[in-house]
Amino acid sequence: MKALQVKLTGFITLTLVALLGLANVSHAQTIRNDNPYLLLEQVADRTFSRVADERDQINQDLDYFRVIIREEMMPYVDSTYAAKRVLGRALKDTTEEQRQEFYAVFREYLVATYGRAFTQYDESIHRVEFDNANRFDPESRAVTVNTRVIEEGRPPIRMDFKMRFDKTDELWKAYDLVVEGVSLLNSKQSEIASVIRSRGIDGTIELLREKAQEPIKPLAEGEKVS
C-alpha cells in the first residue's frame, strides 16, 4: 500500500491550489470548449462556486465532495487515457474486461483522491498566474497550459496542465499535471507498475477499489493523500 501513498500530497494539493485560484477568474456559466485555457478557468469557477454554495451540506458529510467532483470536474478529466498511460506496458497483458474494470476503478480512485485533497486547501494564502488564453492555436489538438502558484515569501511554483482533444467526446480534457518538471502521470505509472508486479492486475484493481471507497475525512497532520 505504501507504493500508492507516496508523492501525492504535493501534486494533488497544488492541483487544487491552481484550480481554486483560477475560480475567481471567470464566472461564465457555459463551458468554452473551443479553447482549453478558458475551459480550465470556467470548470474551476463552476466547481468551486458550487463548493461555496453547498458548504453546509459538505460540512455535514464530506463524502458529498464526490458528487461535486463527479458532476463538475470529471467530465473534463481524461481518466481513461490517463489510466492507459498508467498501465503502460502492462496494458497488453490485460483482458478487455480487466481494462474496463481498471478504467472505472481508477476514475473513482481519482474522485476520492481529489475529495481528500479538497479538505486541505487554504484559499487565504495563494494566488495563481495563468497563461493568456489568446495563446491558443485553434488547430492544436494537444496543449500544455502553464500556471504559476504564488505564495508570499516563497518562490513561484510552476505547474503545467497537459490537455488533449478527445475526438470521441469532442471535448478538451486534462490528463496530466507537471509540477516543477515532475509528471504526476509518470509518478503514478511507476507506483502502479510496482503494485502490479507484486499483486497482479486483479489485486491492483481491488486495492484501488478499496482506496476509492474509503470515506473522505480531513487528513491528520503529516498524513499523505492517497
Side-chain angles (χ1 to χ4, degrees), residues 87 90-105 200-203 205:
L87 280 173
L91 182 67
K92 63 180 177 59
D93 297 323
T94 60
T95 65
E96 178 63 21
E97 182 179 0
Q98 287 173 325
R99 287 193 291 273
Q100 293 304 320
E101 191 172 8
F102 184 87
Y103 300 157
V105 168
I201 185 63
D202 291 331
I205 289 170

Side-chain angles (χ1 to χ4, degrees), residues 7-51:
K7 301 180 182 177
L8 275 174
T9 301
F11 281 115
I12 300 300
T13 301
L14 285 171
T15 304
L16 295 172
V17 165
L19 290 175
L20 281 162
L22 296 175
N24 295 321
V25 175
S26 169
H27 296 284
Q29 296 302 309
T30 301
I31 299 299
R32 283 283 305 276
N33 187 49
D34 58 324
N35 187 316
Y37 295 76
L38 293 177
L39 182 145
L40 272 181
E41 296 180 50
Q42 293 170 348
V43 168
D45 180 57
R46 289 192 0 174
T47 300
F48 295 103
S49 292
R50 185 168 171 187
V51 168

Side-chain angles (χ1 to χ4, degrees), residues 18-152:
L19 290 175
L20 281 162
L22 296 175
N24 295 321
V25 175
S26 169
H27 296 284
Q29 296 302 309
T30 301
I31 299 299
R32 283 283 305 276
N33 187 49
D34 58 324
N35 187 316
Y37 295 76
L38 293 177
L39 182 145
L40 272 181
E41 296 180 50
Q42 293 170 348
V43 168
D45 180 57
R46 289 192 0 174
T47 300
F48 295 103
S49 292
R50 185 168 171 187
V51 168
D53 291 343
E54 301 179 24
R55 175 57 65 182
D56 288 345
Q57 188 166 354
I58 291 168
N59 289 342
Q60 292 176 11
D61 180 10
L62 290 179
D63 273 332
Y64 189 68
F65 272 132
R66 298 178 194 266
V67 176
I68 296 175
I69 293 167
R70 287 192 192 108
E71 294 179 359
E72 304 295 346
M73 290 181 64
M74 294 309 290
Y76 308 97
V77 175
D78 200 337
S79 60
T80 298
Y81 180 74
K84 290 178 181 178
R85 293 279 299 270
V86 163
L87 280 173
R89 285 179 291 184
L91 182 67
K92 63 180 177 59
D93 297 323
T94 60
T95 65
E96 178 63 21
E97 182 179 0
Q98 287 173 325
R99 287 193 291 273
Q100 293 304 320
E101 191 172 8
F102 184 87
Y103 300 157
V105 168
F106 187 75
R107 179 183 177 86
E108 288 305 301
Y109 172 70
L110 289 178
V111 170
T113 301
Y114 279 115
R116 295 181 188 110
F118 267 52
T119 70
Q120 298 297 293
Y121 180 72
D122 182 355
E123 67 273 14
S124 66
I125 62 175
H126 301 104
R127 64 182 177 86
V128 177
E129 294 179 354
F130 192 68
D131 256 358
N132 189 332
N134 292 329
R135 292 181 53 184
F136 175 59
D137 178 357
E139 299 300 317
S140 298
R141 286 298 176 263
V143 301
T144 299
V145 180
N146 306 122
T147 69
R148 299 293 182 272
V149 179
I150 310 298
E151 181 178 346
E152 187 174 354

